[in-house]
């Protein structure tokens, strides 16, 4: 069965649109894009489209590949004290000469609507709701909520240990009472774990990684993979074969990605409410 991320996101948008229509001035989301990475440009276009659709002002700063860390840090400081910017994101990945963690650490935690700053990651881990939860993990939790999945006691396998998906979703699921296993590219036999899992979250970025014979027939597959090959987008899962066989599965595109954008808009409204009291 296909889990329709767009449909779940649309329910979030109905509520956000209603709340934002009553606000004046409107919330403002900033985005910094360094360089011309195709996937990053695609993500930013989606974020801009949905922000504007909801009535959120979208301010894009597009910077050349060779901007350098010092100049980028100056721009971040400027946005930290710019009162009309409620929240902003720095689209990743950044060029190799820039230390991404240094950049993330410089974002004001109050404006960090991506939830990547260590203060927000820490709050999420201890279950303090005053911070921002990273958008893709928050979107995955929204899918579970929408499917009315009780996560307590579920056996959940995560493939991938990134700071923006693998690690934060692990924390959210532990807090929800699940039994969680974290696998990565060095795990000798991923199949040994996935074959017993009630839920599998794959964020490896490896098309074809997750096959039907590696999973239980009644499992739920959350595919966070997003790989562009010859202008076609692939997730990590062998979608067609798994979908026909019965497990619930998120498509790529139209699955988790739709929720990631919706959660960014939700975080922007939260930032507006926090920062413009
Ligand atoms: N690159 C891939 N996913 C994301 C995301 O959620 N936020 C940002 N800023 N960059 C990304």
């Amino acid at each position: 069965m296909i889990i329709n991320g767009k449909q779940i996101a649309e329910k979030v948008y109905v509520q956000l649109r209603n709340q934002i229509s009553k606000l004046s001035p409107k919330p403002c989301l900033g985005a910094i894009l360094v360089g011309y990475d195709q996937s990053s440009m695609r993500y930013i276009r989606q974020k801009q489209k949905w922000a504007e659709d909801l009535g959120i002002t979208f301010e894009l700063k597009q910077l050349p590949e060779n901007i350098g860390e010092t100049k980028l840090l100056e721009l971040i400081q400027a946005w930290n004290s710019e009162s009309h910017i409620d929240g902003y994101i720095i689209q990743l990945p950044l060029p190799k000469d820039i230390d991404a963690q240094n950049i993330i650490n410089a974002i004001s935690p109050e404006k960090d609507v991506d939830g990547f700053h260590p203060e927000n990651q820490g709050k999420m881990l201890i279950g303090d709701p005053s911070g921002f939860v990273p958008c893709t993990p928050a979107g995955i939790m929204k899918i579970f909520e929408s499917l009315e999945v009780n996560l307590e006691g579920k056996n959940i396998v995560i493939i991938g240990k990134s700071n923006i998906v693998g690690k934060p979703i692990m924390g959210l699921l532990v807090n929800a009472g699940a039994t969680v296993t974290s696998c990565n590219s060095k795990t000798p036999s991923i199949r040994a774990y996935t074959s017993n899992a009630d839920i599998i979250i794959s964020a490896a970025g490896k098309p074809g990684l997750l096959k039907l014979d590696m999973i239980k027939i009644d499992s739920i597959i959350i595919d966070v993979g997003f790989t562009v090959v010859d202008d076609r987008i692939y997730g990590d899962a062998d979608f067609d074969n798994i979908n026909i066989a019965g497990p619930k599965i998120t498509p790529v595109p139209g699955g988790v990605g739709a929720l990631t954008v919706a959660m960014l808009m939700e975080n922007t409204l939260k930032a507006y409410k926090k920062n413009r009291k």
Side-chain angles (χ1 to χ4, degrees):
M1 190 202 103
I2 298 177
I3 302 168
N4 189 335
K6 285 186 188 171
Q7 225 167 54
I8 302 169
E10 191 46 49
K11 284 190 199 145
V12 176
Y13 289 139
V14 167
Q15 291 183 356
L16 289 178
R17 217 178 266 121
N18 180 34
Q19 289 186 60
I20 293 165
S21 69
K22 297 176 185 134
L23 300 176
S24 178
K26 296 298 181 197
C28 177
L29 169 64
I32 295 176
L33 174 62
V34 183
Y36 304 94
D37 179 80
Q38 291 291 315
S39 297
S40 290
M41 285 170 30
R42 196 190 291 247
Y43 288 137
I44 287 286
R45 274 198 301 274
Q46 279 299 100
K47 291 168 185 176
Q48 176 160 18
K49 172 185 163 241
W50 280 107
E52 290 172 351
D53 181 86
L54 298 178
I56 295 172
T57 308
F58 188 84
E59 202 166 308
L60 176 64
K61 233 186 236 309
Q62 199 157 5
L63 304 168
E65 185 89 25
N66 63 356
I67 181 82
E69 197 166 316
T70 311
K71 188 89 183 96
L72 187 54
L73 284 169
E74 280 170 26
L75 292 168
I76 288 170
Q77 291 309 335
W79 267 11
N80 282 346
S81 47
E82 187 66 70
S83 61
H84 81 280
I85 304 267
D86 294 293
Y88 68 94
I89 61 164
I90 295 157
Q91 190 62 37
L92 303 177
L94 288 167
K96 289 195 172 41
D97 64 309
I98 295 176
D99 182 336
Q101 194 58 52
N102 256 351
I103 298 298
I104 290 166
N105 293 351
I107 301 172
S108 160
E110 302 298 320
K111 296 193 175 192
D112 170 37
V113 284
D114 251 335
F116 292 168
H117 189 281
E119 184 174 315
N120 286 318
Q121 296 258 12
K123 282 183 173 177
M124 181 211 61
L125 201 57
I126 63 173
D128 176 344
S130 71
F132 295 103
V133 175
C135 303
T136 300
I140 295 170
M141 295 304 276
K142 187 66 83 175
I143 291 174
F144 294 139
E145 186 189 312
S146 155
L147 296 175
E148 297 182 4
V149 177
N150 178 9
L151 293 165
E152 280 180 10
K154 287 284 186 303
N155 178 4
I156 305 184
V157 170
I158 301 166
I159 308 171
K161 59 177 176 62
S162 72
N163 287 342
I164 67 176
V165 183
K167 282 188 237 175
I169 191 64
M170 184 175 68
L172 292 172
L173 293 169
V174 167
N175 288 343
T179 304
V180 186
T181 304
S182 167
C183 297
N184 62 68
S185 57
K186 303 288 189 302
T187 305
S189 171
I190 285 178
R191 177 190 303 266
Y193 300 94
T194 55
S195 56
N196 286 317
D198 302 312
I199 298 171
I200 300 163
I201 299 170
S202 187
K206 288 212 166 54
L209 174 83
L210 198 63
K211 299 191 169 58
L212 180 60
D213 64 1
M214 294 167 69
I215 65 178
K216 286 201 300 184
I217 219 69
D218 59 349
S219 58
I220 299 175
I221 312 297
I222 307 292
D223 191 345
V224 195
F226 193 96
T227 307
V228 182
V229 183
D230 295 334
D231 251 11
R232 258 202 72 183
I233 299 163
Y234 296 87
D236 289 346
D238 179 3
F239 178 84
D240 291 339
N241 285 322
I242 292 175
N243 181 37
I244 290 169
K248 294 191 174 83
I249 180 166
T250 59
V252 179
V256 176
L259 269 307
T260 297
V261 179
M263 294 301 100
L264 177 64
M265 303 307 146
E266 209 170 84
N267 278 350
T268 302
L269 182 58
K270 183 175 180 176
Y272 177 94
K273 289 177 181 167
K274 271 163 72 114
N275 299 338
R276 301 209 199 194
K277 272 196 235 48

